[in-house]
Amino acid sequence: MELGWLLWGAAVLLLLHVLMELSPAVNFAVRIGFYCLLCLVSSALTAPVCLLVNGGRTVKNMKIIKAAVKTFKYLFGLRFEVKGLENFNVDGPAIIVSNHQSILDMMGLMEILPDNCAQVAKKELMYAGTVGLIIYLGGVIFINRKRTSSAKMVMSEVAKTMASDKVKVWVYPEGTRNCTGDLLPFKKGAFYLAVQAQVPVIPVVYSSFTTFYDPKKHLFTSGKIKVEVLPPIETKGLTPDDVTDLTDRCFRTMRETLFRLSGRPSPMTSDSGNSMDWQPGC
């Protein structure tokens, strides 16, 4: 009986392997499914460790989560080439902003996440099963994107927390995932926060995933991701009137870096700093 089940299992795995080789759609679905399952299982196993070591919700748990997630890249054949980590070494809190491409960004985030750093995420992620639990335990700051007044109140509290706890805060200024190989126009919330708290903005840029990951083409293979942490942009002395200029400056710098890391020609940008040819993310 057991031998029969083993034979059936081997046959199913063989068939799945053949289908993955023949069909990009099947290959993509299986790899994404495995990634999601890995996130759920890893979160379930890591959550008790966080509770035992640190006793509950705290940004200190990110060290444990980071150690677990950094193993994922070996299962998916991803390699990271990182430059500029020394730019995280600022005295006191800071706002870290980076481009946001896909659900795989978590691997890139945990590859370089500095100590004592909290992330800002949409509130819906809190209800994503064990993944929601583990990011809650990791001190992630949840924002209701559908209620602007609520989001502003949260960001105001974040500014106070940065000042009192000396934490860095990681924000995706595009506001949503975007796998076009370009940047979406930046929302200004992170930059208002930086000016309000008078802390530096540290831009982080990941090269485009489009050579190995593209949902529209059912592409998900191994690949290399270049990451560059850019020098901090100071905000001391700036006022809310300077936020637009700060946002545009950061956008231009990050977009030029994105194209350089991705091996593409330097982009054309409008005077406002927004892309002239951006398309909605997928």
Side-chain angles (χ1 to χ4, degrees), residues 6 36 39 47 83 182 185:
L6 287 174
C36 293
C39 289
K83 293 182 180 180
D182 203 344

Side-chain angles (χ1 to χ4, degrees), residues 95 120 141 153-163 169 193:
I95 299 293
V120 172
I141 302 162
M153 288 178 61
V154 171
M155 295 305 269
S156 178
E157 290 301 315
V158 171
K160 295 177 183 178
T161 301
M162 282 197 301
V169 176
L193 178 59

Side-chain angles (χ1 to χ4, degrees), residues 268-281:
M268 294 291 292
T269 57
S270 66
D271 292 338
S272 64
N274 291 336
S275 167
M276 299 174 64
D277 54 358
W278 70 270
Q279 300 175 10

Side-chain angles (χ1 to χ4, degrees), residues 10-246:
V12 170
L13 290 175
L14 179 61
L15 177 61
L16 188 60
H17 177 73
V18 171
L19 289 174
M20 289 176 65
E21 291 293 324
L22 295 176
S23 171
V26 172
N27 179 74
F28 181 83
V30 169
R31 288 175 70 89
I32 284 293
F34 177 62
Y35 176 75
C36 293
L37 179 63
L38 185 63
C39 289
L40 289 169
V41 173
S42 178
S43 297
L45 296 175
T46 307
V49 179
C50 292
L51 290 170
L52 288 171
V53 174
N54 292 312
R57 175 175 164 84
T58 170
V59 73
K60 294 178 181 178
N61 283 326
M62 275 300 167
K63 285 187 177 182
I64 300 171
I65 299 169
K66 179 178 178 179
V69 175
K70 286 186 72 171
T71 63
F72 289 13
K73 62 187 175 185
Y74 302 111
L75 300 174
F76 294 95
L78 298 179
R79 294 173 292 124
F80 289 90
E81 181 182 295
V82 182
K83 293 182 180 180
L85 285 177
E86 67 277 3
N87 289 318
F88 281 144
N89 298 328
V90 298
D91 185 20
I95 299 293
I96 302 171
V97 294
S98 74
N99 52 324
H100 191 17
Q101 302 185 64
S102 77
I103 61 173
L104 304 183
D105 285 346
M106 182 178 65
M107 287 190 281
L109 170 68
M110 295 301 167
E111 187 70 20
I112 67 168
L113 186 72
D115 292 341
N116 210 29
C117 180
Q119 297 88 57
V120 172
K122 59 184 180 181
K123 190 176 181 180
E124 291 85 344
L125 288 177
M126 189 187 301
Y127 310 107
T130 56
V131 172
L133 171 62
I134 196 64
I135 61 178
Y136 171 81
L137 290 174
V140 168
I141 302 162
F142 297 101
I143 288 184
N144 187 344
R145 297 186 301 180
K146 296 178 182 179
R147 295 180 59 185
T148 304
S149 58
S150 174
K152 287 181 177 178
M153 288 178 61
V154 171
M155 295 305 269
S156 178
E157 290 301 315
V158 171
K160 295 177 183 178
T161 301
M162 282 197 301
S164 61
D165 298 344
K166 306 299 181 183
V167 298
K168 295 179 176 64
V169 176
W170 191 297
V171 183
Y172 295 109
E174 292 172 279
T176 188
R177 293 194 296 259
N178 165 41
C179 57
T180 63
D182 203 344
L183 292 180
L184 297 178
F186 285 176
K187 299 182 183 299
K188 297 179 181 178
F191 304 96
Y192 273 112
L193 178 59
V195 170
Q196 178 184 348
Q198 293 287 282
V199 300
V201 176
I202 306 176
V204 175
V205 183
Y206 294 84
S207 61
S208 174
F209 292 0
T210 53
T211 57
F212 65 87
Y213 179 85
D214 189 336
K216 293 180 180 178
K217 297 179 180 178
H218 296 122
L219 175 67
F220 188 0
T221 63
S222 59
K224 182 170 75 171
I225 301 168
K226 294 182 179 181
V227 191
E228 192 163 327
V229 182
L230 303 178
I233 301 173
E234 287 295 336
T235 64
K236 289 183 178 179
L238 298 186
T239 70
D241 293 336
D242 299 307
V243 167
T244 296
D245 181 67
L246 175 64

Side-chain angles (χ1 to χ4, degrees), residues 240-278:
D241 293 336
D242 299 307
V243 167
T244 296
D245 181 67
L246 175 64
T247 305
D248 293 345
R249 176 184 171 189
C250 193
F251 179 93
R252 287 193 297 269
T253 301
M254 289 180 64
R255 191 168 186 243
E256 289 171 0
T257 304
L258 170 63
F259 276 58
R260 172 170 55 80
L261 293 179
S262 304
R264 297 171 58 188
S266 180
M268 294 291 292
T269 57
S270 66
D271 292 338
S272 64
N274 291 336
S275 167
M276 299 174 64
D277 54 358
W278 70 270

